[in-house]
Amino acid sequence: MATQHDGLLFFEPCFVPKIWGGRKLDREFGYSIPDGPVGECWAISAHPNGDCKVARGDFAGRTLSELWSDEPQLFGGTAGEAPAQDRFPLLIKILDVADYLSVQVHPDDDYAAAHENGSLGKSECWYIAEAEPDARVMIGQHAHNRDEFAQMVADKRWGELLHEIPIKKGDFFAIEPGTVHAVKGALILETQQSSDVTYRVYDFDRPQADGTLRELHMEQCLDVIDYDAPLKNSGEVTAPEVDGITKLMTCKYFEVARVRVRPDAPVTLAQDHPFMCASVIEGEGGTVTSAGSDACRAEKSELSRGSHFLALTGSGDLTLEGDMELIVSWVPES
Ligand code: ZN
């Protein structure tokens, strides 16, 4: 059976052109991306709409979805047995949102399973890696019920309907299913369920390159919006940083943390989960796992802005050195 001696898998991202995207994924992350505005980098994904390939090592060229079903022991499962979850559950993206993202909402698991061919719902969260001076997020809305929402949309009272706040670098937002949201002027590290179901409320009447408008999904939006969700007025992270690590959120689908590594303060990151996703959003450095050290082949994996990797079962703790910032995530024990 093939193994990965240090327990780390690096991926080749997939890129998605979007009318609201920009060129920062090329300019600032050095990725080779398609021409035109590119909005999304799918960095760690086994979703059929963007199934990432392993970039190097023993599993080079194989997709994450193949490894999930064929090599379950890498992710805490038993070799030869089907994984308990039928698909890799998380999706990690970088969003380059130059112009407004469509005002959108996502369904929960029950609604998606019933209406979207057995898809997962979409809980997501945003870490603001960079923000323009006028960057803003729309998160939540002011209608009290379905009828009021529909009426305000019909009257185009967008300013009254949508709850909008300024954002800055380092802010963090959990976005539950049923929360209306959009953003503009930011580079975002997104951690989400492995789902691609988005219902558009409003797209600013923007034409696409061919002159047509993107489809809206008002009935589905009205079905899934949570009209009672409390409004958020800030994305400020208030959790304490302990030994370089700040817990950003926990929900039933994922836990997310920020890791800050400084030249005089390397970080040891415990990896006792079936797997852990990691993305370098700033700076550079390197990492060695305890599995790699035990195998006496402790080559350091070089990391730079835009490196994404999975630490697999048995990778052991990660020693991170350099001057960089990462976002890491894993699935909580059920
Ligand atoms: Zn979204």
Side-chain angles (χ1 to χ4, degrees):
M1 187 198 317
T3 55
Q4 185 76 14
H5 70 84
D6 64 353
L8 298 184
L9 286 183
F10 286 81
F11 292 95
E12 287 171 9
C14 303
F15 298 98
V16 188
K18 294 280 183 184
I19 56 174
W20 44 260
R23 300 297 300 170
K24 284 188 174 169
L25 293 168
D26 168 9
R27 279 205 315 271
E28 300 192 19
F29 283 81
Y31 297 129
S32 155
I33 61 175
D35 290 341
V38 173
E40 301 190 354
C41 162
W42 292 30
I44 301 178
S45 164
H47 193 280
N49 296 354
D51 196 357
C52 295
K53 286 188 175 155
V54 176
R56 57 180 191 258
D58 299 338
F59 297 108
R62 294 177 68 184
T63 62
L64 181 52
S65 69
E66 277 169 34
L67 292 181
W68 180 258
S69 47
D70 299 348
E71 312 279 355
Q73 74 285 357
L74 299 177
F75 310 94
T78 308
E81 268 182 32
Q85 276 180 290
D86 65 351
R87 65 203 108 183
F88 182 79
L90 302 182
L91 204 172
I92 312 300
K93 292 182 187 173
I94 301 175
L95 310 179
D96 173 11
V97 191
D99 191 9
Y100 271 114
L101 194 74
S102 61
V103 180
Q104 57 186 255
V105 61
H106 306 294
D108 63 13
D109 284 348
D110 291 343
Y111 191 92
H115 297 87
E116 300 292 344
N117 244 331
S119 169
L120 296 177
K122 188 159 149 182
S123 287
E124 65 188 31
C125 62
W126 289 349
Y127 183 78
I128 309 298
E130 246 180 52
E132 302 290 334
D134 63 344
R136 309 183 70 73
V137 68
M138 290 174 179
I139 184 161
Q141 56 79 36
H142 294 280
H144 298 93
N145 54 52
R146 182 184 179 113
D147 289 347
E148 193 181 347
F149 192 97
Q151 191 58 54
M152 290 174 89
V153 169
D155 297 343
K156 297 186 181 291
R157 285 149 64 197
W158 301 113
E160 243 178 287
L161 176 61
L162 302 169
H163 181 65
E164 192 170 27
I165 58 175
I167 53 170
K168 61 183 187 319
K169 179 177 170 153
D171 282 354
F172 179 80
F173 296 92
I175 302 170
E176 282 94 25
T179 304
V180 175
H181 59 284
V183 61
K184 176 192 176 195
L187 200 62
I188 296 170
L189 189 289
E190 179 176 73
T191 305
Q192 59 161 95
Q193 287 180 271
S194 184
S195 169
D196 200 19
V197 182
T198 293
Y199 299 137
R200 267 184 222 117
V201 179
Y202 177 50
D203 203 25
F204 304 90
D205 305 315
R206 283 178 294 202
Q208 308 178 85
D210 66 2
T212 62
L213 300 177
R214 297 196 295 176
E215 193 188 350
L216 303 178
H217 316 92
M218 193 50 65
E219 277 309 303
Q220 292 96 321
C221 292
L222 293 172
D223 284 349
V224 305
I225 289 168
D226 179 355
Y227 299 98
D228 303 316
L231 295 174
K232 297 175 198 191
N233 287 312
S234 165
E236 181 95 33
V237 173
T238 52
E241 179 174 314
V242 179
D243 298 330
I245 300 166
T246 307
K247 285 242 169 115
L248 297 173
M249 80 171 281
T250 299
C251 70
K252 77 177 185 193
Y253 302 108
F254 42 75
E255 295 188 40
V256 182
R258 178 182 61 202
V259 182
R260 279 182 170 152
V261 183
R262 295 290 170 246
D264 56 352
V267 172
T268 302
L269 187 60
Q271 203 317 66
D272 48 8
H273 311 289
F275 61 87
M276 178 188 273
C277 305
S279 298
V280 180
I281 53 167
E282 199 165 291
E284 57 186 19
T287 187
V288 176
T289 63
S290 40
S293 309
D294 293 346
C296 303
R297 295 163 66 190
E299 309 144 40
K300 183 155 72 170
S301 291
E302 304 288 333
L303 301 175
S304 57
R305 190 177 203 198
S307 302
H308 306 274
F309 60 94
L310 268 178
L312 302 168
T313 299
S315 70
D317 297 348
L318 277 67
T319 304
L320 295 153
E321 296 169 343
D323 191 358
M324 59 184 175
E325 194 166 304
L326 300 89
I327 299 294
V328 298
S329 56
W330 59 90
V331 175
E333 319 293 313
S334 49

